[in-house]
Amino acid sequence: MATLTKDIRNIALVGHSATGKTILADALLLNAGKINRLGSIQEGTTTSDYSQEEIDREISLRASLIHVDEQGVKLNFLDTPGYMDFSGELAAVSHIADSALITVDGSCNAIEVGTELAWDAMEKRNTAVFFAITMLDKEHTHFDVVLKTLKDRYGDHVLKLQYPVNEGPALNAIVDVLKKKVLVFNEKGKYTEEDLNETQKVEVDELYEKLVELVAESDDELLEKYFEAGELSEDELNSGIKSAIKNRSLFPVFSLSSMKNIGVSRLAEVLAELAPAPAAEVKAIKNGEEIIRKVDAAEPTSIFIYKNVYEQHVGEMSYFKVMTGTLKPGMDLKNVQSNTSERFGGIFTMNGKNRIELDELQAGDIGTAVKLKDTHTCNSLCDSKDMVEYPVIAFPEPIIRVAVEATAKGDDEKIGMGLTQIRAEDPSFYYAVDSELKQTIVSGQGETHLEVCLKKIEDRYKIEINQIEPKIPYRETIRKTAEGHYRHKKQSGGAGQFGEVYLRLEPKPRGEGIEFVSELVGMNVDRSFVPSVEKGVNQATIEGPLTSSKVIDIKVAFYDGKQHPVDSKDIAFQIAGRGAFRQAFEKADPILLEPIYEIEVKIPEEYMGDVMGDVSSRRGKVLGMDSDGHNQVIKASVPLSNLYKYANTLRSISQGRGQYKRKFSHYEYVPKEIQDKIVAEHKKEQEEAHS
């Protein structure tokens, strides 16, 4: 029997890398009787991290789905990579989750970048957040210090509803504020309740009072009752807590040791009780207009694809959320984007790679389907009678780019197919075949992200891929007016070729492009050859004389020339036009322009000096500074040529806590000494290519 919408909880399991998300997922499955023993990251036996690449690297590389049943409630957990290279997975998960559990290492002294990323992703979507301070059985943990950093960063609405007893290797119990009891756990993860001692009772009463105040503050009606009666009934408090969590007026903090299975079973109970069910309504687009759809099993069926994965021996798997209605095997849904019909042969829920076939999935639930013909990430599929489209996932822009080429000749086609496949699976991975640079450029969220994506292609197609530094799309232009003259004459028996062209080149303001004008007077050249000269000039601007880069922002005047009554023809004036352009260009103080990118670097204040020094060393200019909570934001402009693998340097400088984004700004003159070096290197490459 399908789980009803009101009994579904979709919880993103997020946080910094190595804070225990994947082991927590295993502990939840163990307690639910879905697995027999806790997996190990080192041995590669966890349920969530099952791909060979995840096992080899000992980190999560993609979000995986697990589910457990707790008190008649279905908890769908989306175990998400904490490493910032895979922030595309976080974007996808945050788009469909109804709440998030952010895991924080119990020995951490500061807010880590993965915590920040998770918080920011949930804040953007106004999603409810729970915190779990993990690994409290380890040496050197300090629950109170971690709690203080969370409160300092995210405010007094962060409230501990549990705290550990005997923190460290002796951990065996937690104090639970909601139950007002000490929960003592056995080795199987089950707990017994004991009374609080006097010290604990005082602290729990204070925390309970603070909880009641926060709940009352989040609801005007409850606040009035609280002022009148001085307390809230148990029912009022419970519904108030749920409401406060959902409205982000309360961020509860829990205590865990997944390895010792302490706190995990109680966490599942609390999430089943307090985590929000799927929203009652969702926004959709119909005929270009925003409309509201009820999240109800009785409505017409519609689903949203949040992820596609290629699994060996299975093929393409589509992960989706049922937005409205009920999905059953054998149903046909229409893909809004591709306008094709898809039949659902079977529908499944997952525990890692293990598929569990279902009879149906109701609105709000998460599942998978295999071998959908023409369906991709961010597609909406609907009952054909009620075609609606759901907002797409805002995937992060790339921050690193490299060029790729096949090691062996003839493998280019396989690389092309592989890149298309990876892009379909992971929209935070980008690629483009750059005809100007004559390179295939791939870009993504970091070096590891690109390595993982390219390794998939190598493994699937049994090829090797080289990564090389991308060329820079320079531009060439001039700074003064000059004239050029070229005569093309060819005679080799029979009809010859003759064309003579005089051109004047003038610089134009940036962004105005190439302008060609005819200033011919008299009849030295037949006007029918003007388009031929223009064609030759346009050909010459595709690969400029300095570095074979595109020429921009020049006015070209064709003011004189000569022709032959028999030998002049189109090709002769094209060649003469090219030659005259090159000659004039070289006399007109030619200059290289380079692309300048605007970057925005977000870092903790203590790294500002180092980051600004590094920006200056890259010929960058700091444009301004701003603060964002506990972080500083530096805005700067930097030449693209000095941003190669900048993400790696930034992470090194800021101990992994820096983030940056970039966008193209404009073109600027290249300094003379750097231009001379670039031109010399280009000339050398051309000589080697022709030798």
Side-chain angles (χ1 to χ4, degrees):
M1 185 180 163
T3 308
L4 302 178
T5 302
K6 69 180 180 64
D7 297 325
I8 295 165
R9 308 286 182 267
N10 297 316
I11 304 158
L13 204 46
V14 292
H16 194 70
S17 191
T19 53
K21 298 181 294 295
T22 298
I23 293 299
L24 172 56
D26 256 33
L28 288 160
L29 290 168
L30 180 67
N31 290 343
K34 305 276 186 183
I35 57 175
N36 300 323
R37 57 189 284 270
L38 204 61
S40 160
I41 301 285
Q42 291 73 27
E43 293 170 17
T45 54
T46 62
T47 307
S48 290
D49 291 355
Y50 57 85
S51 74
Q52 193 54 51
E53 192 75 2
E54 287 176 312
I55 292 166
D56 292 344
R57 289 179 180 268
E58 297 186 3
I59 57 170
S60 299
L61 301 176
R62 60 190 187 193
S64 59
L65 172 64
I66 70 155
H67 72 283
V68 297
D69 299 305
E70 180 66 42
Q71 304 167 34
V73 172
K74 182 183 183 185
L75 302 175
N76 288 320
F77 287 97
L78 297 137
D79 181 16
T80 312
Y83 197 57
M84 60 194 298
D85 275 39
F86 304 97
S87 52
E89 299 288 317
L90 174 62
V93 164
S94 62
H95 193 84
I96 56 127
D98 300 303
S99 61
L101 179 68
I102 301 179
T103 55
V104 184
D105 180 354
S107 61
C108 184
N109 291 311
I111 299 293
E112 294 176 292
V113 67
T115 308
E116 288 278 25
L117 284 171
W119 174 270
D120 290 348
M122 300 308 152
E123 189 173 41
K124 273 179 199 160
R125 298 193 60 82
N126 205 30
T127 302
V129 166
F130 300 84
F131 287 101
I133 299 178
T134 61
M135 300 186 283
L136 290 168
D137 61 311
K138 304 289 185 193
E139 297 274 7
H140 313 301
T141 60
H142 32 244
F143 178 89
D144 290 335
V145 172
V146 176
L147 180 68
K148 184 177 185 305
T149 64
L150 291 174
K151 288 176 84 71
D152 288 347
R153 181 67 183 91
Y154 304 119
D156 284 339
H157 293 270
V158 174
L159 184 69
K160 66 179 179 185
L161 295 188
Q162 293 177 346
Y163 60 89
V165 178
N166 303 325
E167 183 178 354
L171 179 75
N172 69 333
I174 55 175
V175 172
D176 191 291
V177 175
L178 293 174
K179 282 182 172 286
K180 294 189 175 181
K181 294 284 184 181
V182 176
L183 311 183
V184 182
F185 289 82
N186 64 22
E187 65 281 356
K188 291 185 178 177
K190 298 191 183 304
Y191 65 84
T192 53
E193 298 179 12
E194 293 183 0
D195 291 335
L196 304 168
N197 63 32
E198 282 307 310
T199 307
Q200 291 165 342
K201 191 172 186 312
V202 170
E203 184 170 8
V204 165
D205 285 345
E206 284 177 7
L207 288 167
Y208 200 81
E209 191 66 25
K210 175 69 175 168
L211 174 64
V212 173
E213 285 172 16
L214 279 176
V215 166
E217 283 169 17
S218 71
D219 185 314
D220 290 342
E221 201 176 310
L222 287 179
L223 187 61
E224 205 172 306
K225 284 185 180 177
Y226 181 61
F227 278 140
E228 285 174 7
E231 60 181 4
L232 297 174
S233 71
E234 193 174 330
D235 286 347
E236 286 169 342
L237 182 61
N238 283 345
S239 67
I241 291 172
K242 287 182 191 178
S243 179
I245 290 170
K246 187 177 180 180
N247 298 334
R248 291 175 58 86
S249 302
L250 171 63
F251 305 111
V253 180
F254 299 97
S255 304
L256 292 178
S257 163
S258 299
M259 288 301 291
K260 290 183 80 170
N261 207 348
I262 293 170
V264 178
S265 57
R266 175 60 180 152
L267 175 70
E269 289 173 5
V270 175
L271 291 174
E273 178 77 21
L274 301 180
E281 296 178 332
V282 288
K283 289 178 182 175
I285 301 158
K286 188 169 190 175
N287 302 324
E289 302 260 324
E290 191 177 277
I291 58 168
I292 301 296
R293 279 284 173 268
K294 284 184 184 175
V295 180
D296 190 307
E299 291 288 306
T301 303
S302 64
I303 70 171
F304 176 77
I305 308 291
Y306 72 90
K307 184 177 176 58
N308 265 339
V309 175
Y310 178 83
E311 296 283 10
Q312 205 172 6
H313 311 306
V314 177
E316 200 82 28
M317 285 187 67
S318 299
Y319 285 70
F320 58 82
K321 184 175 187 180
V322 181
M323 306 302 286
T324 61
T326 303
L327 181 67
K328 297 181 180 181
M331 284 181 79
D332 290 313
L333 294 182
K334 194 87 173 277
N335 186 314
V336 177
Q337 282 77 14
S338 66
N339 201 32
T340 56
S341 187
E342 295 279 17
R343 168 149 294 203
F344 285 75
I347 56 173
F348 307 89
T349 186
M350 307 294 292
N351 275 326
K353 66 180 175 183
N354 302 315
R355 288 180 291 158
I356 298 98
E357 194 157 9
L358 299 172
D359 294 332
E360 62 178 49
L361 280 168
Q362 290 201 4
D365 214 341
I366 296 172
T368 64
V370 295
K371 298 184 174 124
L372 298 180
K373 300 190 302 292
D374 192 22
T375 289
H376 307 291
T377 303
C378 290
N379 284 179
S380 301
L381 282 77
C382 309
D383 184 310
S384 57
K385 297 189 222 48
D386 188 50
M387 297 285 280
V388 295
E389 185 179 349
Y390 293 103
V392 299
I393 299 162
F395 284 101
E397 291 295 315
I399 60 169
I400 188 171
R401 62 199 285 274
V402 300
V404 294
E405 60 183 17
T407 305
K409 281 186 178 180
D411 283 345
D412 291 331
E413 193 178 333
K414 289 179 181 176
I415 287 182
M417 289 191 294
L419 291 173
T420 304
Q421 198 176 55
I422 297 299
R423 168 72 181 154
E425 289 178 38
D426 181 0
S428 67
F429 172 83
Y430 301 78
Y431 79 94
V433 179
D434 194 311
S435 55
E436 181 189 340
L437 302 178
K438 298 180 176 62
Q439 286 185 315
T440 298
I441 309 292
V442 300
S443 47
Q445 307 311 310
E447 199 166 22
T448 305
H449 181 220
L450 293 185
E451 279 176 12
V452 167
C453 290
L454 296 175
K455 179 79 164 54
K456 284 181 189 173
I457 298 171
E458 289 181 327
D459 290 347
R460 286 176 196 174
Y461 291 93
K462 305 293 183 280
I463 57 174
E464 281 186 33
I465 299 173
N466 283 338
Q467 291 186 42
I468 54 177
E469 188 169 347
K471 295 173 186 172
I472 303 299
Y474 292 109
R475 296 287 179 262
E476 301 181 20
T477 194
I478 57 173
R479 287 196 284 199
K480 68 180 187 183
T481 301
E483 295 179 351
H485 157 239
Y486 191 88
R487 174 187 287 186
H488 174 66
K489 185 177 180 181
K490 186 178 178 187
Q491 194 74 43
S492 55
Q497 293 179 5
F498 181 87
E500 189 167 354
V501 172
Y502 289 80
L503 297 179
R504 183 176 61 256
L505 271 55
E506 300 171 20
K508 281 171 69 73
R510 197 67 56 243
E512 291 198 4
I514 303 294
E515 181 188 3
F516 180 88
V517 295
S518 170
E519 295 180 358
L520 291 173
V521 291
M523 295 308 294
N524 283 354
V525 179
D526 193 303
R527 299 306 184 265
S528 65
F529 290 122
V530 170
S532 304
V533 174
E534 184 175 7
K535 201 170 179 183
V537 166
N538 287 337
Q539 288 166 355
T541 62
I542 293 169
E543 292 190 0
L546 293 177
T547 59
S548 300
S549 301
K550 192 175 178 183
V551 177
I552 60 169
D553 304 334
I554 295 177
K555 182 178 179 180
V556 182
F558 176 23
Y559 67 90
D560 201 1
K562 288 179 186 170
Q563 68 183 57
H564 187 277
V566 177
D567 293 346
S568 285
K569 46 181 68 82
D570 172 60
I571 188 66
F573 274 94
Q574 281 190 47
I575 293 168
R578 281 204 303 269
F581 179 88
R582 291 181 74 88
Q583 192 189 89
F585 189 92
E586 285 165 4
K587 293 192 289 185
D589 192 10
I591 186 81
L592 263 190
L593 300 168
E594 63 182 342
I596 304 297
Y597 273 64
E598 206 169 277
I599 66 170
E600 200 173 278
V601 184
K602 186 176 170 183
I603 43 153
E605 191 167 355
E606 60 264 33
Y607 303 112
M608 274 186 69
D610 290 341
V611 169
M612 287 169 72
D614 181 67
V615 165
S616 297
S617 74
R618 295 169 185 272
R619 294 192 288 125
K621 297 172 190 164
V622 174
L623 304 174
M625 283 171 284
D626 207 349
S627 64
D628 175 22
H630 288 233
N631 286 311
Q632 297 297 315
V633 177
I634 299 172
K635 293 178 181 177
S637 61
V638 184
L640 177 62
S641 58
N642 291 331
L643 282 177
Y644 183 55
K645 295 194 174 179
Y646 175 63
N648 297 355
T649 306
L650 178 62
R651 287 176 192 178
S652 176
I653 290 173
S654 63
Q655 297 182 3
R657 298 180 66 199
Q659 305 168 48
Y660 99 105
K661 54 187 178 183
R662 69 188 196 182
K663 64 178 179 181
F664 171 74
S665 176
H666 63 284
Y667 272 89
E668 248 178 45
Y669 291 135
V670 175
K672 179 76 167 63
E673 67 280 6
I674 296 175
Q675 174 174 317
D676 291 345
K677 189 178 172 187
I678 294 166
V679 172
E681 283 174 1
H682 176 71
K683 192 176 177 184
K684 186 181 173 188
E685 281 173 17
Q686 284 198 314
E687 286 169 357
E688 287 172 356
H690 292 115
S691 62

